[in-house]
Amino acid sequence: KVFEQILDTMSLSSPFQTDTPLLDTAFCSLIRHTDVDGLNTAMTILVQNEGKSSVFLIKTFHLIISSIKSQEQQKYIAGYCEHFLLISMDLLRKQARDAHEARYNVSLFSRMMTTLLAKKELLVLSGREIGMICSEMTPLFHVDRVNERDVECDISVYHSCSSVVSALISHYSKQLYGCPSPLFGLLLSLLHHTLHTSTKKGLSEKALEYSKLCELLIPHKEIFKKHVIGLILCYIKALSEGMNPIAKKKFMPSIYALLDVCTDFETRQINAMIDVPSKTLFAPVFKSYQKFYQYHGQA
């Protein structure tokens, strides 16, 4: 009865994308101290409410997987994880009414994903599921979706997606070896979006986030080296189209990290694929990398 009352109250706040910290804390405490029978009661109520919003379902399930501790609880909840993984994708697909809703939905998706990715005792994702996660995030950076967001919302969406990418590389690097295309398709969309960010705050925060993602690729250079070529060519194209000095400086850490993934073979490939004016523009960047970043990397 207690579970039913709490979940009913929580469901009332979900359509308004508002957090209820006191209620959430009480629910988490109940979950932590309940046995499998109690957990079964909570999940039965939740599943019976599948006609309600995906926000309510994913927020509640995220609280559950964040709270359970015992092996019995984990074994029971594991049977539901794949189902709620699919429901969480609806948060990215649904058309938001305003910037606040868009921001909240992507943030909730990110929290759900980063928790689930870290808890392999609940679910081990397949390559197909990893590819699906990346592919569902990529459209968030298409021009029509970006134009619907204000500056703060856009930064938040970028940060949320970057957190998921970071968790994927950290926890599922071996699986990504077999399906790198969706990951690098998403990284290309993030880079293209960042290169076309016009606000100073947005550019600074996104470029910093992106450099962190690029650095995560370095330990996996033997597998990912041929895939970073497209990212570097995207940067060179932006250079040839005109890049202000501030933007160029902000992107240096990212480009240095991407160049560090490359071997001499990939570097020669890039050189063969760009025209003379582009070579002229990129040469100082590459020399700077050789002088500073590559030296410190070897040290």
Side-chain angles (χ1 to χ4, degrees):
K1 190 68 176 178
V2 177
F3 276 125
E4 188 173 355
Q5 291 173 338
I6 291 179
L7 289 172
D8 280 344
T9 307
M10 288 171 64
S11 70
L12 296 176
S13 67
S14 293
F16 303 101
Q17 278 73 40
T18 54
D19 287 321
T20 51
L22 292 177
L23 203 57
D24 294 351
T25 301
F27 179 72
C28 290
S29 180
L30 275 174
I31 292 295
R32 271 194 298 271
H33 295 95
T34 193
D35 55 15
V36 173
D37 288 337
L39 203 53
N40 178 62
T41 300
M43 288 305 302
T44 300
I45 296 169
L46 191 61
V47 171
Q48 287 174 348
N49 280 286
E50 285 206 355
K52 296 191 176 181
S53 73
S54 52
V55 170
F56 164 67
L57 295 172
I58 296 306
K59 177 185 174 182
T60 307
F61 191 71
H62 177 252
L63 291 174
I64 291 172
I65 63 174
S66 300
S67 303
I68 56 175
K69 300 295 181 184
S70 71
Q71 289 186 345
E72 291 78 11
Q73 288 178 321
Q74 291 170 353
K75 185 177 179 180
Y76 176 80
I77 287 297
Y80 289 93
C81 288
E82 192 166 353
H83 177 64
F84 280 87
L85 171 68
L86 296 175
I87 295 175
S88 70
M89 300 299 171
D90 290 337
L91 295 171
L92 303 185
R93 296 170 187 153
K94 66 184 296 186
Q95 190 70 29
R97 292 169 295 183
D98 52 39
H100 171 71
E101 184 177 356
R103 179 178 184 171
Y104 187 91
N105 288 350
V106 179
S107 174
L108 179 56
F109 168 82
S110 176
R111 280 179 279 157
M112 169 71 170
M113 285 298 108
T114 51
T115 301
L116 205 52
L117 290 167
K119 289 180 173 287
K120 289 187 176 180
E121 67 274 15
L122 297 180
L123 178 67
V124 176
L125 297 180
S126 65
R128 180 184 64 83
E129 289 165 332
I130 292 170
M132 180 175 63
I133 292 169
C134 293
S135 298
E136 290 290 348
M137 287 190 287
T138 300
L140 293 173
F141 301 98
H142 291 173
V143 175
D144 58 332
R145 298 289 291 275
V146 173
N147 290 340
E148 296 172 356
R149 305 194 288 258
D150 58 31
V151 174
E152 291 300 326
C153 175
D154 193 47
I155 293 173
S156 175
V157 168
Y158 193 97
H159 177 75
S160 294
C161 290
S162 296
S163 296
V164 177
V165 175
S166 177
L168 278 170
I169 297 173
S170 298
H171 298 293
Y172 280 88
S173 57
K174 299 295 188 295
Q175 287 84 347
L176 283 167
Y177 291 174
C179 57
S181 296
L183 170 66
F184 281 88
L186 175 57
L187 288 173
L188 185 61
S189 291
L190 287 169
L191 177 58
H192 187 268
H193 173 69
T194 310
L195 288 166
H196 290 83
T197 297
S198 56
T199 64
K200 186 175 180 180
K201 181 182 180 183
L203 176 64
S204 296
E205 294 196 26
K206 292 173 191 175
L208 178 60
E209 285 285 341
Y210 199 80
S211 67
K212 293 176 182 177
L213 297 180
C214 292
E215 287 167 3
L216 288 175
L217 300 175
I218 295 174
H220 314 286
K221 60 173 66 181
E222 283 304 311
I223 304 298
F224 292 150
K225 58 188 179 184
K226 64 181 179 181
H227 298 282
V228 303
I229 292 175
L231 303 179
I232 296 172
L233 290 175
C234 180
Y235 169 79
I236 294 172
K237 184 174 184 290
L239 273 181
S240 65
E241 292 173 348
M243 186 184 295
N244 67 63
I246 295 175
K248 189 174 180 180
K249 183 178 179 180
K250 297 290 184 186
F251 274 104
M252 282 301 187
S254 297
I255 296 306
Y256 287 170
L258 291 175
L259 286 170
D260 218 39
V261 176
C262 297
T263 64
D264 289 341
F265 178 76
E266 284 76 39
T267 304
R268 289 195 298 271
Q269 272 192 307
I270 292 167
N271 193 53
M273 295 170 74
I274 58 178
D275 57 23
V276 174
S278 296
K279 289 177 183 177
T280 303
L281 289 168
F282 188 60
V285 176
F286 188 71
K287 287 179 181 177
S288 176
Y289 157 75
Q290 289 179 309
K291 184 176 181 180
F292 300 108
Y293 191 91
Q294 193 175 39
Y295 171 77
H296 290 302
Q298 290 175 344

